[in-house]
């Protein structure tokens, strides 16, 4: 499963490590998920031009 992680998710997880957002971020670090962030997608787009 592919998951898009926005910068806001990372910042929120850093500020509130026991919060719901952090739990969601930690969950995406397990096996069935493939993580993407906006920077990675931008770089891939530029490579394909």
């Amino acid at each position: 499963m592919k998951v898009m992680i926005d910068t806001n998710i990372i910042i929120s997880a850093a500020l509130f490590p026991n919060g719901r957002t952090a739990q969601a971020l930690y969950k995406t670090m397990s096996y069935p998920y493939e993580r993407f962030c906006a920077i990675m997608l931008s770089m891939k787009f530029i490579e394909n031009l």
Side-chain angles (χ1 to χ4, degrees), residues 10-49:
I10 297 169
I11 293 170
S12 181
L15 292 174
F16 305 102
N18 295 324
R20 192 176 281 181
T21 307
Q23 291 174 3
L25 181 62
Y26 299 147
K27 189 170 187 170
T28 65
M29 294 178 173
S30 61
Y31 162 67
Y33 299 101
E34 185 177 352
R35 291 163 307 283
F36 292 95
C37 67
I39 294 170
M40 289 171 53
L41 292 175
S42 297
M43 290 172 58
K44 251 190 182 328
F45 177 75
I46 291 169
E47 286 176 0
N48 292 328
L49 288 178

